[in-house]
Structures are given as structure tokens and as C-alpha cells.
Amino acid sequence: MKARLLAVALLAALALAGAMVYGLNHLDEAAPTQSAAATSPAMVERGAYLARAGNCMGCHTQRGGAPYAGGRALPTPFGDVFAPNLTPDPATGLGQWTSNDFWAALHNGRSKDGRLLTPAFPYTNYALVTREDADALFAYLQSLPAVAQANRAHELRFPYNTQPAMAVWRALYFRPAVFKPDAGRSAEWNRGAYLTQGLGHCNACHAPRNSLGATPAATDFSGGMLAPLAWYAPSLHDPAEAGVADWPAQDLRQWLKTGSSASSSALGPMGEVILGSTQYLNETDLAAMATYLQSLPQHAAAKSTQRRPEPALRELGKALYADHCARCHGEQGEGVKAAYPALAGSRSVQMQNPANLLRIIQRGGFAPATAGNPRPYGMPPFAGILSDTEQAALASFVRNAWGNQAADVRPLDVLQLKTQRVN
């Protein structure tokens, strides 16, 4: 809380300087001059594929709304951001935009009128996208049916809702740069890096954020708390969290394609990514992403001080597990192959941060229904059945049964997770 107040004070103090130095209409990067190639059906088709790779529809479509027409609320620690209309409606969408305008948004984080866009739109990643891919994306968006749906104003707190604050943030944390292949790596590795760091914007979730919401770098995947959603995006560098360096490559490709592998199912926000994005990637790109992800440096995260075990809490959890969980997950947490994941030895269960385990207990576990796994098994929610103490007890038991070893979860942990959650 102190850090956040300090950040507000800093932004307020720098806002005037930001406005003077970076003026609201001052372009700190050269304006793009390259024009798009003539639009063709192949270009539109390519753009549609790239839009899937970036999961653009996931943010720019509200539940029950027209595709890409915007309106979905994106909760942040600074207030809600509402995704804009990307359809070619001339009044409320991109109908009056040019390919240069779209490139400026992706590469420079600026709207058609010169406004600085909020970094909730991950232009820190999208800046890596090539001009050719940006033009293809724009061609696809222009081919969509126009939907007249006015954009909703963001609901950010002061000073985060000001253009000077955006200018300061950019001065501190943003430098546009198109992806540059690593000459020492294979073409497959570079393709995977391009997709993961750029359009896939994977570290927008899988990286820690500072008090102003900035991530360290597009190559940092050391894990981050999605505070408004109360989910934790685990570290891809940590073998004990979500590192995949030792996975069989085929298993990783299958997981990205179907949301399920022999040892893991994708749940929560990652399930949404697979549902709307990676299941549609071709085998070449899936292999490239797998190659890149498996090359990430592996190192264990620092461990916090171990809590003193609470035997009474675990005993309560043992009884709750027998009543509510053993029928599917097995008396020894062994699970059922291709149906119910094993809890014994599970990384997700034993992660230092228990947020995801608690969220699954509360909301249930539902893998994405993909073409490769059209009828996944699911787990019902228990938030309306188990109290905070019972949720903590159940989590503590499964984190320490059948050879698992992790810190107990306290009722206060459950309460804190509930209070930070937006939806």
C-alpha cells in the first residue's frame, strides 16, 4: 500500500514534466511512412490467423457481444480499462483508420488522434510485431462486419487516467523495437520467440509487475500475480512451477493445442488462451513455441519462510477430501488418466503461491473444450459449500498428502484472495 501511494505521488509530481517534455502530440518515434501492400484474400486469411495467435478477440469481445466490437472490461490494479471496437465501423470502430494508424497503435502505443494508449493494451509486446504482420492484421479487421458500438471510457483512478501520466510511464518503461532474430539460434527458435514475446504477449501474464504495472522485459517469464483476477501465472523458468524444459516436446505441443496432456490440464486464464488462441495454431508454429519455451533458462524461485504446520487443519481437510474429492481424484490422489488430474506430485498443488489451487476449489476446474479435447471432464465449484476455513483445510491437506510438501493455507489467505478479486 505504501509503495502504491508513493507511486501515485511520483506520477502526480512528474505529470507536468511529462506533459512538457513529451507533449501529448509529440511523437517520440519517427512516424511510419511505409504503406500497406494491396489487400488480397491471402493477406486477410493470414491476418485472421495472426489475430488468433494474439487472441485479440479474447479482450475485444464482451460476453454475448459481437466479435471484435469491444466493450469487455479489463480489470487492473488502477481501475478498469474497456477494450475498444476493432470492427470497421466509421463512427465507433476503425473505419476511418489507415494501415499507418494501426501500425502506430501496435508499434508506438498511439491512437489515430495521437493519444497515448494505456499499457493494458500490451503494445510493449506488440511493438515487436513486423510491419507485414501488422498490415495483415489490419486487413483482416477491415474485412469484418462493421458493428456500431460506442467505446466505453476507461474507469482509471487519478493520475493514471491522464495523458501526462501515460507519457511518464512510456518514458520510464517503453522503447519500441521490432523483433530482431538471434543469428545464433535456429529459424524455429526465432519463430517461437517472435510469437511468444510479441503477438502471444505471454509475459503480460507470466511476469511480475512493479508498482506502476510495468514488467521487466519481454523475455522475462518468472511468474506474476493477476491480482484483479486472483490467479497466479506461474514462472516458466522454475521447474517447480511451470517450467517445461524437461517435458517431451510432443506433450507440450499437445497441451498448447488441446489444453490437456498426460500430466496437466489448462485451467483458469490459461484455459481461455488455449480456447481462443493456441488451439488454432498450425503444427509448425506450435513446434516453434515449444522449442522456444523449452529453451528458457531454468532456475528455482526464492522460497519464503516455511510456516509451522497445523495438524488440526490438515485433519479437517482429510475428512473433506474423502467426502468431496476422493471419488474423482482417488484415495491416494492418483487421479484418472485423461479425465481427472492426479494431485499427488502435482506442481500446481504444491506451488508456493496457493492462489490457483484455491481458485479451482472455489470456482471449479474446467479445461477448455477444444477440437482435440471436445468434451473435457470438469470439477464443480465449492465456494458455496465450503467455508473459508474448510477451503484452507482442504488445500492444506492436498498440499501435504501422498508425498506432497508445501506450506499450509490459512483461512486468512482465503479471505485475502477473495478481497483482491474483481471478478
Side-chain angles (χ1 to χ4, degrees):
M1 178 59 74
K2 288 183 179 177
R4 182 63 50 76
L5 289 174
L6 233 122
V8 171
L10 175 64
L11 272 178
L14 292 178
L16 181 58
M20 290 189 297
V21 177
Y22 294 95
L24 300 185
N25 295 313
H26 171 71
L27 294 179
D28 47 33
E29 309 88 15
T33 57
Q34 179 183 356
S35 60
T39 300
S40 67
M43 188 177 183
V44 171
E45 183 180 356
R46 179 184 171 198
Y49 179 83
L50 293 169
R52 286 290 196 186
N55 197 23
C56 304
M57 192 165 67
C59 286
H60 289 274
T61 305
Q62 62 181 335
R63 186 172 297 176
Y68 294 99
R72 180 174 180 176
L74 309 175
T76 80
F78 315 105
D80 285 349
V81 170
F82 294 89
N85 186 344
L86 298 185
T87 75
D89 180 69
T92 63
L94 305 184
Q96 299 294 327
W97 283 46
T98 67
S99 59
N100 279 342
D101 296 330
F102 188 72
W103 167 253
L106 247 62
H107 186 65
N108 296 330
R110 291 183 181 274
S111 186
K112 176 180 171 62
D113 60 7
R115 285 181 305 106
L116 305 178
L117 299 174
T118 168
F121 172 65
Y123 56 82
T124 50
N125 297 96
Y126 293 161
L128 300 176
V129 174
T130 64
R131 179 63 195 255
E132 292 75 18
D133 280 353
D135 286 345
L137 271 168
F138 183 69
Y140 168 66
L141 294 174
Q142 291 293 293
S143 76
L144 297 172
V147 178
Q149 179 169 295
N151 293 313
R152 184 170 171 180
H154 302 324
E155 296 177 358
L156 296 167
R157 298 188 303 278
F158 179 83
Y160 307 108
N161 59 349
T162 68
Q163 286 286 284
M166 295 297 172
V168 171
W169 192 94
R170 289 166 60 93
L172 292 172
Y173 304 117
F174 177 59
R175 295 293 182 274
V178 172
F179 178 80
K180 290 183 173 57
D182 184 339
R185 298 282 192 168
S186 68
E188 182 178 66
W189 184 95
N190 277 295
R191 176 63 176 173
Y194 173 72
L195 290 169
T196 303
Q197 296 173 20
L199 270 177
H201 62 287
C202 301
N203 88 318
C205 291
H206 287 279
R209 293 185 179 272
N210 65 18
S211 58
L212 295 181
T215 56
T219 55
D220 187 304
F221 302 93
S222 54
M225 189 67 195
L226 309 177
L229 302 178
W231 285 90
Y232 172 67
S235 170
L236 302 181
H237 298 291
D238 190 344
E241 291 198 0
V244 292
D246 62 347
W247 277 35
Q250 176 57 37
D251 282 6
L252 180 53
R253 293 195 298 271
Q254 177 186 335
W255 189 82
L256 290 170
K257 187 74 173 178
T258 69
S260 180
S261 72
S263 59
S264 178
S265 293
L267 305 174
M270 190 61 212
E272 292 185 25
V273 171
I274 291 173
L275 179 66
S277 178
T278 59
Q279 73 158 315
Y280 297 100
L281 298 185
N282 60 45
E283 291 300 322
T284 300
D285 281 345
L286 288 172
M289 290 185 71
T291 295
Y292 175 71
L293 292 172
Q294 293 194 295
S295 77
L296 294 176
Q298 298 293 291
H299 48 79
K303 302 299 182 184
S304 60
T305 304
Q306 191 75 358
R307 288 174 168 174
R308 184 176 61 188
E310 294 198 11
L313 202 62
R314 294 186 189 179
E315 279 301 311
L316 173 59
K318 182 177 181 180
L320 291 167
Y321 182 86
D323 288 344
H324 299 290
C325 314
R327 182 175 301 176
C328 294
H329 290 285
E331 293 184 1
Q332 299 302 313
E334 70 274 18
V336 177
K337 187 176 181 180
Y340 306 112
L343 303 182
S346 167
R347 295 191 300 181
S348 298
V349 165
Q350 299 176 83
M351 278 194 297
Q352 184 170 230
N353 188 330
N356 294 352
L357 176 60
L358 290 173
R359 288 296 270 153
I360 292 167
I361 292 172
Q362 292 164 1
R363 297 185 62 181
F366 302 96
T370 59
N373 188 26
R375 300 184 67 184
Y377 289 84
M379 168 184 154
F382 286 91
I385 298 173
L386 303 179
S387 68
D388 290 359
T389 298
E390 289 172 328
Q391 291 177 39
L394 180 56
S396 296
F397 170 70
V398 299
R399 283 163 66 84
N400 290 280
W402 322 299
N404 291 349
Q405 291 185 335
D408 284 345
V409 179
R410 309 290 170 83
L412 182 59
D413 298 326
V414 181
L415 178 61
Q416 289 175 332
L417 197 67
K418 286 163 61 178
T419 56
Q420 71 176 289
R421 190 173 73 237
V422 172
N423 64 352

